[in-house]
Amino acid sequence: MTEAVNTLLLLFMCVTALTIVRQHNLFAVVMLGSVFSLLSAGMFVLLDAVDVAFTEAAVGAGISTILMLGVLSLTNSRERITFSTPIFPIVLVMLAGSVLIFSALGMPEFGAADAPIHGHVADRYIEKSGAEVGLPNIVTSILASYRGFDTLGEVTVIFTAGIGVMVLLGLRRRTAQDGSVEELPLPGEGNMRHHSVLRVTAKLLIPFIMLFALYVQFHGDFGPGGGFQAGVIFAAAFILYGLVFGIKNAVAVVPEGVTRFLIAAGVLLYAGVGVASLLMGGNYLDYSVLAHEPTHGQHLGILLIEFGVGTTVAAVMITLFFSFARRTRKKT
Amino acid sequence: MFTATTIAILLTMSLAIARMCIGPTIYDRVLAVNMFGTKTVLLIAVLGYLIGRPDFLDIALVYALINFIGTIAVLKFLRYGGFGDTHEMDTQDVDDKSNLSDGGPQ
Amino acid sequence: MIHAASLALALAAVWLLLSGHTDFLLLGLGAASVFGVVLIALRMDVVDHEGQPVHMGLRLIAYYPWLGWEIIKANWDVARQIIDPKLPISPTLTSIKSTQRTELGQVMFANSITLTPGTVSVRVLPGEILVHALSKNGADDLVTGRMDRRVSAIEGPEPDSDIGKEPG
Amino acid sequence: MEVANSIIVWASLLTGSLFAVIGGIGVLRLPDVYTRLHGAGITDTMGAGLILFGLAVHEGFTLITVKLVLIFIFLIITSPASSNAVANAAHSSGLRPMLDSDLKNKASSNSGARS
């Protein structure tokens, strides 16, 4: 049965991908992209990869669609059609495709027990993580504890991405600040506030979205979820607020200085937990020394670093959205 | 019986995909994507039961909420050409009489 | 203040139901989360009679079963029209009068219209709602004002109207 | 009791699936975006409602049922809002709904062209 569903989902993905290729309206392409994301998340669910599906749901289908739209608002929403015959690209794609298919032949059978990936540390994670880290969700144990360095790197990547976007899109702001244009209440800003249905719905939902984000944040130890997903969901609440009540009001709720501070604070909290474990006589990011009992220490450390991850992710996502939204306003 | 439901939901999803591919207007596509999203919520909920892990429901919940925000973002973008934007604003909007006096947080 | 309290209560209930963990740490985190969310919501200015319609109270609870039954009937109706090979639809665009005194009431009316298949509210204007109906019958049913009176009744004895005013 | 329970689960899952598919057919079959919204509305109310209800009855009184109920509440709140937003956006972009008279004209001109 699952094979049949998998095949159908794959088929849907193919149809979506082909439509994306044939579509010249970039706006439709963005939406089809979000559908593609939804489909792949469905596949992850079937493969039992709950945490990956969760991330795909929150990041792939939601935030990236919104950010892509933000990019579109800075460019043209129709693809430039070139009439040259694309022989060279086709040959290149065919070659690359056949190399990939050829190398896929050498991969182990789907789900084979003797696949190389199962030969290294996976057994240890599955058998020992309960005793060593003490969390029911092995994925969280691996991400936050065994591979703490790796995750710190990922958070740094997000931090860097946030800084990059701030540098690229935020520079124009300073020059416009002394101009009086900025201060004028622009017609249409926060227009959706007058859309009473959306306003009431947003008012009703926003607090619960934020609470759900925090639930995901603090229950990463037990079920799917964790800092990355929680950060994105929390940012989604702010994005909804910004969409309905206007960017200006949203910035007034969380001033830019605060988001900037939080971007750095999350990474610092993560790295700081590592330093604390160094100072208390363990290795860097070895949380066992943080409390009297190793598993308690692990629990505390994971809770703290996940919180750091969530803070950085949420702040970066909010900054990204605001940067794009602001930038379009400058263009008028 | 979960199998039958799964098949029905997949069938509905394929109908939504068809509508999304043929359009013809952009609003048809938005409508189809939105409907596709709610069907994905159902699909994940049912799949959780089909493979015996109902704790997938958190994911379904996330979808439901992301889908809504995505739809609103798409529509806002369609109407204003951006997220905090004014250009391409339609002037015939009747319920926006007071938008000239609007601005700033309360 | 009552709105903030009701929000906090609702949030706490949702947290407990979602979490299901009752150890000290998670309860503490839950309390902190609820507190933080209420603070941010207050800052966002989304905690008011529109986000937390406490004044409607029990009347709200009595309304939804009625709406549910209407939705089921309408679903049946629309489903029959869709699978009929002749597709016997007669789409109409009608303006429906709304007698609610507050925007919240009007929104509830508009959403009830949309939730009932066969009718979709297109635009909410002061005192009226532009409705697209799949068939003439659906539109006529709304014109009788049955649903409108129901929603107006749950609004309760609140004197001040905010229709057409600057929304907050 | 057990039997009654599973009959309810069966019935609501199957009816819900049926309504979901009918709504999907409607989205494909109806003539313009406004009428298609009604089809999507069916899948969101009856379709989603009955399927989630069936799953909840299957589950009994647990925290998982609570999540199903939360999903249902969430859908019931957001679905009319997004339908309304789509309709509103289409209407303010100047897209005219296809009305009864248009359909009749189209049908008669079609049959006229064919004959």
Side-chain angles (χ1 to χ4, degrees):
Chain A
M1 181 56 211
T2 38
E3 281 82 21
V5 178
N6 252 329
T7 320
L8 262 177
L9 286 179
L10 261 179
L11 192 75
F12 288 170
M13 284 170 98
C14 288
V15 172
T16 319
L18 284 175
T19 322
I20 289 177
V21 173
R22 295 195 50 81
Q23 202 35 263
H24 288 296
N25 184 345
L26 292 179
F27 184 77
V29 168
V30 170
M31 280 197 302
L32 285 163
S34 91
V35 167
F36 193 84
S37 211
L38 285 175
L39 285 167
S40 50
M43 306 252 320
F44 291 139
V45 169
L46 274 176
L47 292 172
D48 232 351
V50 196
D51 289 79
V52 188
F54 209 141
T55 316
E56 186 69 42
V59 182
I63 294 292
S64 36
T65 309
I66 294 170
L67 292 183
M68 293 276 231
L69 290 175
V71 175
L72 271 192
S73 66
L74 300 183
T75 62
N76 215 334
S77 66
R78 281 199 75 81
E79 187 183 342
R80 203 153 50 92
I81 302 166
T82 46
F83 290 97
S84 61
T85 35
I87 289 181
F88 179 67
I90 285 182
V91 170
L92 202 67
V93 167
M94 297 278 240
L95 271 178
S98 37
V99 167
L100 284 178
I101 292 172
F102 179 72
S103 45
L105 291 177
M107 293 217 298
E109 282 280 299
F110 179 70
D114 57 342
I117 187 86
H118 303 310
H120 296 290
V121 284
D123 292 341
R124 187 192 151 99
Y125 290 155
I126 292 168
E127 280 162 17
K128 296 260 180 70
S129 77
E132 285 176 350
V133 185
L135 295 186
N137 186 358
I138 301 177
V139 178
T140 305
S141 306
I142 296 173
L143 275 184
S145 186
Y146 291 113
R147 295 195 184 164
F149 270 78
D150 206 11
T151 311
L152 179 59
E154 284 166 19
V155 178
T156 318
V157 167
I158 291 170
F159 172 77
T160 320
I163 302 292
V165 170
M166 269 162 63
V167 168
L168 283 174
L169 293 182
L171 275 185
R172 188 85 70 81
R173 232 180 66 80
R174 200 162 295 156
T175 51
Q177 219 159 35
D178 42 20
S180 55
V181 192
E182 174 86 4
E183 301 306 319
L184 272 177
L186 287 159
E189 225 277 270
N191 233 338
M192 279 193 154
R193 205 148 48 93
H194 298 274
H195 193 314
S196 52
V197 174
L198 279 185
R199 188 186 71 238
V200 170
T201 312
K203 274 188 182 175
L204 196 64
L205 287 179
I206 285 172
F208 292 94
I209 297 176
M210 290 193 287
L211 186 83
F212 183 68
L214 290 168
Y215 156 76
V216 171
Q217 169 81 53
F218 295 126
H219 287 74
D221 308 357
F222 307 101
F228 286 100
Q229 294 94 332
V232 170
I233 298 169
F234 202 83
F238 271 88
I239 290 176
L240 179 61
Y241 185 76
L243 286 173
V244 177
F245 294 87
I247 304 300
K248 218 169 175 178
N249 291 354
V251 177
V253 171
V254 193
E256 243 169 307
V258 175
T259 36
R260 259 183 228 162
F261 169 77
L262 288 176
I263 290 178
V267 183
L268 277 178
L269 177 62
Y270 198 140
V273 172
V275 174
S277 57
L278 267 184
L279 289 178
M280 292 173 83
N283 288 325
Y284 190 68
L285 290 177
D286 174 13
Y287 318 124
S288 299
V289 293
L290 290 177
H292 291 300
E293 261 180 76
T295 46
H296 281 181
Q298 289 283 354
H299 201 150
L300 180 66
I302 289 175
L303 202 70
L304 285 174
I305 65 133
E306 288 275 13
F307 192 67
V309 172
T311 313
T312 297
V313 171
V316 167
M317 293 301 160
I318 292 171
T319 311
L320 289 187
F321 175 71
F322 286 170
S323 313
F324 278 116
R326 278 270 191 67
R327 177 71 176 209
T328 45
R329 211 172 68 183
K330 286 287 122 44
K331 240 169 80 177
T332 40
Chain B
M1 73 197 137
F2 294 135
T3 317
T5 315
T6 313
I7 293 169
I9 295 172
L10 283 169
L11 186 61
T12 317
M13 282 165 97
S14 61
L15 292 168
I17 289 192
R19 177 45 72 200
M20 189 173 54
C21 294
I22 46 186
T25 69
I26 201 80
Y27 301 102
D28 288 298
R29 292 183 210 274
V30 177
L31 159 76
V33 171
N34 184 37
M35 183 176 139
F36 187 87
T38 52
K39 294 299 99 46
T40 317
V41 173
L42 288 184
L43 181 72
I44 289 178
V46 178
L47 277 183
Y49 283 87
L50 192 69
I51 56 181
R53 282 190 62 177
D55 50 338
F56 282 160
L57 288 177
D58 279 350
I59 306 179
L61 212 51
V62 171
Y63 267 145
L65 106 94
I66 286 289
N67 187 39
F68 173 66
I69 297 175
T71 308
I72 301 303
V74 164
L75 291 172
K76 174 136 191 184
F77 178 82
L78 267 180
R79 204 154 157 197
Y80 304 118
F83 292 135
D85 202 358
T86 55
H87 58 251
E88 291 177 36
M89 203 188 77
D90 54 302
T91 44
Q92 65 208 19
D93 207 359
V94 200
D95 58 353
D96 282 337
K97 272 177 260 165
S98 48
N99 63 24
L100 283 171
S101 60
D102 170 46
Q106 274 84 59
Chain C
M1 218 47 238
I2 183 162
H3 297 121
S6 96
L7 177 66
L9 259 176
L11 288 172
V14 169
W15 175 278
L16 286 177
L17 290 171
L18 279 173
S19 159
H21 288 274
T22 46
D23 52 305
F24 182 69
L25 175 70
L26 278 173
L27 283 182
L29 287 172
S33 302
V34 168
F35 185 69
V37 169
V38 171
L39 273 189
I40 298 177
L42 283 172
R43 237 186 111 74
M44 282 178 165
D45 198 24
V46 293
V47 189
D48 54 14
H49 66 283
E50 288 187 339
Q52 295 290 318
V54 275
H55 58 281
M56 291 188 176
L58 289 173
R59 290 188 298 264
L60 201 61
I61 299 169
Y63 172 68
Y64 277 98
W66 178 82
L67 181 66
W69 180 239
E70 290 294 309
I71 290 174
I72 292 172
K73 281 193 294 188
N75 259 299
W76 183 248
D77 233 37
V78 176
R80 253 197 351 230
Q81 288 176 42
I82 288 175
I83 48 175
D84 192 311
K86 286 201 296 279
L87 204 64
I89 56 167
S90 45
T92 38
L93 202 61
T94 341
S95 209
I96 303 291
K97 236 176 59 199
S98 69
T99 58
Q100 289 78 33
R101 287 179 304 266
T102 55
E103 282 212 89
L104 173 66
Q106 214 190 2
V107 167
M108 286 183 59
F109 183 37
N111 276 355
S112 305
I113 291 173
T114 315
L115 266 178
T116 323
T119 48
V120 170
S121 53
V122 175
R123 169 159 286 170
V124 180
L125 300 164
E128 57 174 335
I129 296 175
L130 194 62
V131 173
H132 182 274
L134 187 59
S135 66
K136 288 244 155 57
N137 295 348
D140 292 344
D141 192 32
L142 273 180
V143 171
T144 61
R146 249 172 1 115
M147 189 182 266
D148 177 49
R149 280 194 295 278
R150 287 251 175 191
V151 181
S152 292
I154 56 168
E155 262 194 320
E158 206 189 7
D160 46 329
S161 148
D162 61 1
I163 298 269
K165 277 193 200 152
E166 178 76 352
Chain D
M1 190 55 214
E2 205 52 20
V3 178
N5 214 345
S6 55
I7 286 175
I8 294 175
V9 175
W10 258 96
S12 37
L13 282 183
L14 286 185
T15 331
S17 312
L18 195 69
F19 271 102
V21 174
I22 290 175
I25 293 172
V27 168
L28 209 58
R29 212 181 152 202
L30 291 167
D32 75 338
V33 64
Y34 298 96
T35 47
R36 282 170 203 144
L37 277 172
H38 303 303
I42 288 193
T43 68
D44 282 351
T45 53
M46 268 305 240
L50 279 176
I51 290 174
L52 290 175
F53 177 73
L55 293 180
V57 172
H58 177 84
E59 188 61 36
F61 268 109
T62 63
L63 283 178
I64 286 173
T65 312
V66 171
K67 282 187 188 167
L68 287 168
V69 172
L70 281 181
I71 292 177
F72 178 70
I73 293 176
F74 205 91
L75 283 181
I76 282 297
I77 292 174
T78 56
S79 139
S82 41
S83 292
N84 175 264
V86 171
N88 197 341
H91 189 259
S92 36
S93 80
L95 191 70
R96 228 171 56 81
M98 203 178 270
L99 297 182
D100 197 19
S101 47
D102 305 324
L103 282 180
K104 297 243 163 70
N105 289 340
K106 202 175 150 200
S108 61
S109 69
N110 272 359
S111 59
R114 249 181 249 133
S115 60

